Amino acid sequence: MKERLAKIKEEAAQKIQAAASMDVLNELKVAYLGKKGQITELMKGMKDLPAEEKPAFGQMVNATRSEIEGFLEEMKNSMEEKLLDAKMKSEVIDVTLPGKKKELGHDHPNNMILKQVEEIFIGMGYEVVSGPEVEYDHYNFEALNIPANHPAKDEQDTFYINSDILLRTQTSSVQIREMEKGVLPIKMIAPGRVFRADEVDATHSPSFHQIEGLVVDKGITFADLKGTLEEFCRRFFGEDTKTKFRPHHFPFTEPSAEVDVSCFKCHGKGCRFCKDEGWIEILGCGMVHPHVLEMQGIDPTVYSGFAFGFGLERLTLLKCEIDDMRLLYENDLRFLKQF
Ligand code: DAH
């Protein structure tokens, strides 16, 4: 009997040592100690023994049982330790490794300048509005005092969708859309994309951006227009910037003017930015034509207004010291990252 138990024990020890997984270990536990396991079967045989042999037999079997239990426990602990070890290794974070860098972009130069312009006008109480890029001839020309066959239409050689609809050539169309709402007073700027059938060169593109401005209220005079634009220019180009209003003609304003600012680079002495003139032309403006007001049902004997229009790219090229407008549209990161 002793030999048999020793054999069982030895065999169990070997198999437990060789167990490759928790599952195998559990199977071995059942095979030796389970209800139908080898040890349990041996115990069952005890009833056939003579009474005086029973205690010694019981002791021997129980001793083997607890030894096998010991082997199982030991193996289980070492397996759990190894598993934990492996888990720790696989989950380890090396805090000394360099981080993954997120490339954070920034606004396009045009948008940077637009935000500066918007901030200045918002600070003066203006609302920022927008209108459609695909526009009716009515808003783009007709209601702006530019009837069919007006020469101004030729100057803005246009992309037509059909005889009524076109890609807007100017953000001035948004003036009409705001006035037509019938809510006064109006104090708005309208930035947006415009289109003209222009050849591409350093200063022209078939698609560019304008920033329109419109104020309509009681008692608005040319002095308000001058004061507003002078203040804008000082805030945008610098405190010592001077402005010059030159008479001009736009069909939808009367009187009309073009505005030059003293060159913010050379302060009027003459340099490559102002083409040695000391002045840089930056916008068109004027008092809203009474007929334009009338067409929108606004009584020009009660209300008056002024309007102005900037080219956004022109401001960007000047402020960012860029020589060629095409660079703004190429989306070359080597260029864009410089701003
Ligand atoms: N829309 C004009 C253009 O594209 C610019 C302009 C001039 C806008 C005078 C105005 C203005 O609002 O009053 O050439």
Side-chain angles (χ1 to χ4, degrees):
M1 193 66 217
K2 255 190 186 162
E3 289 96 76
R4 187 146 172 233
L5 277 171
K7 224 180 134 204
I8 291 176
K9 192 175 96 181
E10 201 179 311
E11 188 193 280
Q14 270 170 14
K15 285 187 178 165
I16 290 168
Q17 270 302 312
S21 70
M22 255 341 170
D23 285 346
V24 176
L25 209 59
N26 277 330
E27 276 164 29
L28 287 171
K29 188 175 175 180
V30 174
Y32 286 99
L33 310 177
K35 269 188 190 155
K36 287 184 179 151
Q38 290 192 40
I39 298 291
T40 322
E41 290 298 321
L42 273 178
M43 272 307 219
K44 279 180 194 161
M46 193 159 82
K47 63 182 190 305
D48 303 327
L49 290 176
E52 65 273 18
E53 285 178 27
K54 279 184 185 173
F57 178 81
Q59 265 177 15
M60 277 198 311
V61 177
N62 274 335
T64 307
R65 181 187 187 89
S66 42
E67 272 174 307
I68 295 177
E69 274 171 356
F71 297 152
L72 284 166
E73 189 63 22
E74 219 174 274
M75 193 58 187
K76 189 177 156 219
N77 288 343
S78 105
M79 267 186 190
E80 276 172 355
E81 228 168 81
K82 273 187 200 144
L83 279 176
L84 189 67
D85 241 32
K87 200 168 169 223
M88 298 276 260
K89 276 194 189 119
S90 75
E91 286 176 4
V92 81
I93 297 168
D94 184 349
V95 291
T96 65
L97 281 175
K100 278 188 194 137
K101 210 168 151 193
K102 282 221 171 82
E103 285 259 4
L104 204 56
H106 61 71
D107 279 335
H108 186 277
N110 256 351
N111 272 336
M112 289 179 354
I113 298 302
L114 176 57
K115 278 186 184 168
Q116 290 177 20
V117 173
E118 284 182 351
E119 221 163 89
I120 294 172
F121 279 107
I122 289 169
M124 295 198 272
Y126 284 68
E127 195 186 344
V128 181
V129 302
S130 62
E133 292 173 5
V134 181
E135 187 54 286
Y136 289 104
D137 181 276
H138 170 76
Y139 294 96
N140 196 85
F141 292 125
E142 202 77 29
L144 286 163
N145 251 353
I146 309 172
N149 303 323
H150 193 288
K153 265 186 150 171
D154 287 344
E155 282 166 27
Q156 302 187 357
D157 227 349
T158 308
F159 297 109
Y160 278 92
I161 309 286
N162 59 36
S163 58
D164 279 342
I165 300 172
L166 50 104
L167 299 185
R168 69 177 175 193
T169 63
Q170 48 187 352
T171 46
S172 304
S173 54
V174 189
Q175 290 188 32
I176 306 303
R177 288 188 170 273
E178 281 302 298
M179 286 191 257
E180 157 186 274
K181 289 181 182 164
V183 186
L184 295 170
I186 296 169
K187 208 172 172 191
M188 63 103 191
I189 56 166
R193 190 189 292 269
V194 299
F195 306 84
R196 293 183 191 183
D198 280 337
E199 293 287 338
V200 176
D201 66 25
T203 53
H204 291 87
S205 160
S207 147
F208 58 102
H209 300 80
Q210 291 186 331
I211 305 168
E212 195 75 16
L214 174 69
V215 173
V216 180
D217 202 351
K218 287 177 183 158
I220 299 291
T221 68
F222 203 93
D224 297 306
L225 170 60
K226 277 196 83 175
T228 301
L229 293 177
E230 276 171 7
E231 182 57 19
F232 168 81
C233 291
R234 273 198 298 270
R235 291 204 203 166
F236 185 76
F237 291 109
E239 266 314 304
D240 56 350
T241 305
K242 293 185 185 62
T243 43
K244 185 163 77 176
F245 286 69
R246 282 183 289 102
H248 199 79
H249 173 262
F250 296 104
F252 43 91
T253 45
E254 181 59 35
S256 306
E258 275 189 338
V259 177
D260 298 344
V261 289
S262 56
C263 180
F264 59 98
K265 274 283 149 207
C266 64
H267 301 277
K269 283 195 227 63
C271 68
R272 75 186 176 97
F273 284 97
C274 57
K275 301 201 181 82
D276 277 331
E277 290 184 0
W279 294 93
I280 300 172
E281 182 203 315
I282 56 154
L283 65 99
C285 64
M287 300 305 291
V288 181
H289 197 295
H291 188 228
V292 171
L293 293 173
E294 246 164 22
M295 279 190 274
Q296 298 314 315
I298 299 170
D299 185 348
T301 63
V302 181
Y303 285 94
S304 54
F306 65 76
F308 54 88
F310 293 94
L312 174 59
E313 277 78 358
R314 181 142 184 78
L315 296 180
T316 305
L317 297 185
L318 286 169
K319 252 294 180 67
C320 299
E321 303 188 15
I322 301 165
D323 289 324
D324 192 326
M325 185 171 171
R326 284 167 288 198
L327 289 164
L328 290 176
Y329 306 123
E330 281 168 357
N331 282 337
D332 187 333
L333 284 179
R334 288 168 302 181
F335 167 74
L336 294 174
K337 275 179 175 171
Q338 297 173 44
F339 302 95

